[in-house]
Amino acid sequence: CLTLNIYAVNPPASSKQPVIVFIHGGGASGGSALSPPWNAATPLASHAIVVTVQYRMGLLGWLVNPLLTAESPQGSSGNYALMDQIAALQWVHDNIAEFGGDPAKVMIVGHSWGSVMAESLLASPAAAGLFSAAAMESAVFGGGLIGTTIDNAYRWYADVPGAVGCDTAADVLACLRAVPADTLVQSGPNSADTGWVNVDPVVLPEDPALKLQRLGSPVPLIIGSNSDEKAFDNTVFLPALDASGYAAIIHTQFDALAAGAGDTILSLYPATDYTNPNYALSAVESDLYFTRNTRNFARAVSGAQRPPVWRYLFTHTFENPAPQDAFLTLAGAFHGAEGYFIFGSFQTLFTSVPYTPSDAEIALSNEMMGYWVRLAATGDPNGSGTAPWLPYDDASEYILQLDNNIVTLGGYRNAQCDFLSTLPTRGF
């Protein structure tokens, strides 16, 4: 399950190049580095060596079981996907010079669930020293969600042996290991409501979010999200809402979390402020699951005497979708949209029809690639005459808005995020 895809210029540059190691998303149980835009890294590879990682997912990547823990010399089980990524980083450290890369200038970049992996790698002692910069795109795993010991994770997977007919076997582990991989990964407990990362003695001895809040990021960090992360859930594919339908959904979702929460949300996100109530709902849930967690994490890990943090907000809407992709004009800056610009890859979006970026989009892509590559190369995304990107802290809240006109914001939906932060934590 563990393979690396390496993109390098040919012939190699005369000097060692910075390296970007990309970790794909997919909710811990899906996704692939061979899906667009990650599978077409040639534009980004003209500026840096690019490595994309295929790693174990689902039960193959996360199964925690006391029998596995008992047979481990380290008293550990689970986190196999994270171990894969650490093994990949170790391989890059040992071998990337053969491809023209500089092992001292390795940046990890994670998108969605891959961002949670980057967060975990930042906190993992087993990954220390294997990278010099990081970027977390569109996901933060909140603190206090995974318990304090490996025992807390056993319940997440307790029904796995029974689901594949191994619960009554004389040797449960031997039985599990005889189950075809396809059967195992398609079993019920493989779903996203399993525990994902867990505290274990070797790879992740402490809750990653809490450790990073306590100590800060060990390396310079880019972190951000998109303005319309939940657009596909709430805008393109849902029936049109009227104001009363929107209010009903808000009350159902939020009144159970805190008394009067629904009314507060409706006052912070009035339907009249948006194109239609669907967009208001998209804004609420984009902020609930992404913006507030990104803001809270950036606030917690930044500060004096710590490596700098740079926060972005991607707000661009694709300008030239083919008729088959016309729904993209409704989706705005949807979850994953920034990846096409960071990779400079526009061959296909959702259908097989090639996408033709506008001149402004090509310019935006080049600027974004520049920021990411400069962080990998120097530990600072600034330079080359691009718009200055000021470091983030909880006083100034400088955010670089990534769109055709790149500008600096002094905060984004602060009142909304302040209230949302009083509600129970969501994973990402």
Side-chain angles (χ1 to χ4, degrees):
C1 299
L2 175 57
T3 60
L4 304 182
N5 310 298
I6 302 173
Y7 300 82
V9 293
N10 188 20
S14 57
S15 59
K16 295 299 183 184
Q17 300 297 293
V19 181
I20 290 178
V21 177
F22 176 77
I23 306 167
H24 72 79
S29 59
S32 171
L34 300 181
S35 298
W38 335 120
N39 64 335
T42 303
L44 183 58
S46 65
H47 307 285
I49 307 298
V50 179
V51 180
T52 63
V53 184
Q54 299 278 65
Y55 56 94
R56 282 174 286 182
M57 295 179 291
L59 289 178
L60 297 178
W62 304 108
L63 177 61
V64 182
N65 186 282
L67 296 174
L68 290 169
T69 302
E71 75 169 16
S72 165
Q74 294 84 21
S76 173
S77 66
N79 287 337
Y80 303 115
L82 195 56
M83 294 178 190
D84 282 352
Q85 292 153 28
I86 294 169
L89 288 169
Q90 185 65 59
W91 190 95
V92 167
H93 179 272
D94 295 342
N95 296 281
I96 203 63
E98 300 298 324
F99 297 84
D102 187 341
K105 297 178 179 179
V106 175
M107 175 181 175
I108 57 170
V109 177
H111 168 259
S112 193
W113 178 253
S115 179
V116 175
M117 294 291 86
E119 177 184 350
S120 300
L121 290 167
L122 286 166
S124 173
L130 295 178
F131 55 90
S132 57
M136 294 172 55
E137 301 171 14
S138 294
V140 171
F141 198 73
L145 298 176
I146 61 175
T148 56
T149 70
I150 194 171
D151 294 358
N152 299 118
Y154 291 144
R155 60 184 173 82
W156 296 333
Y157 304 94
D159 56 346
V160 170
V164 293
C166 290
D167 54 327
T168 59
D171 187 334
V172 173
L173 290 184
C175 180
L176 285 171
R177 287 174 171 134
V179 175
D182 286 349
T183 302
L184 192 64
V185 299
Q186 293 179 49
S187 67
N190 189 62
S191 65
D193 59 3
T194 53
W196 300 329
V197 294
N198 64 277
V199 172
D200 81 280
V202 179
V203 180
L204 211 59
E206 184 178 351
D207 182 313
L210 298 182
K211 178 179 180 179
L212 295 170
Q213 289 170 21
R214 182 168 56 85
L215 299 177
S217 172
V219 298
L221 174 67
I222 284 174
I223 186 169
S225 60
N226 300 351
S227 56
D228 306 294
E229 295 276 5
K230 299 290 280 185
F232 276 118
D233 294 344
N234 300 305
T235 306
V236 178
F237 298 117
L238 275 186
L241 292 171
D242 58 17
S244 62
Y246 166 58
I249 290 174
I250 293 299
H251 282 295
T252 298
Q253 182 172 357
F254 288 94
D255 286 348
L257 301 179
D263 287 335
T264 303
I265 291 293
L266 291 171
S267 69
L268 290 168
Y269 299 88
T272 52
D273 282 1
Y274 298 87
T275 303
N276 59 50
N278 289 66
Y279 284 92
L281 180 60
S282 176
V284 171
E285 296 202 346
S286 295
D287 289 351
L288 174 66
Y289 288 99
F290 294 91
T291 311
R292 72 149 175 183
N293 291 342
T294 298
R295 178 185 186 236
N296 291 346
F297 185 87
R299 281 182 153 197
V301 304
S302 62
Q305 311 305 315
R306 292 181 169 185
V309 174
W310 291 271
R311 183 180 166 196
Y312 72 85
L313 178 72
F314 182 83
T315 61
H316 185 74
T317 298
F318 282 93
E319 298 176 2
N320 292 327
Q324 295 92 327
D325 292 333
F327 59 87
L328 290 176
T329 60
L330 303 176
F334 57 87
H335 186 62
E338 86 293 342
Y340 295 90
F341 291 81
I342 293 169
F343 270 66
S345 172
F346 298 97
Q347 286 89 328
T348 57
L349 297 181
F350 285 87
T351 65
S352 60
V353 179
Y355 181 79
T356 303
S358 68
D359 291 343
E361 288 178 321
I362 292 172
L364 174 60
S365 176
N366 287 333
E367 289 175 313
M368 290 175 63
M369 284 192 286
Y371 287 125
W372 266 244
V373 170
R374 284 190 294 274
L375 186 72
T378 70
D380 188 327
N382 289 289
S384 299
T386 54
W389 194 347
L390 301 174
Y392 182 88
D393 60 53
D394 60 2
S396 62
E397 294 211 73
Y398 291 130
I399 304 168
L400 198 68
Q401 182 176 357
L402 296 172
D403 211 325
N404 288 349
N405 181 28
I406 295 178
V407 297
T408 299
L409 306 177
Y412 174 70
R413 289 186 177 160
N414 284 350
Q416 290 87 339
C417 288
D418 285 343
F419 177 72
L420 291 172
S421 296
T422 68
L423 303 178
T425 300
R426 301 297 179 99
F428 65 94

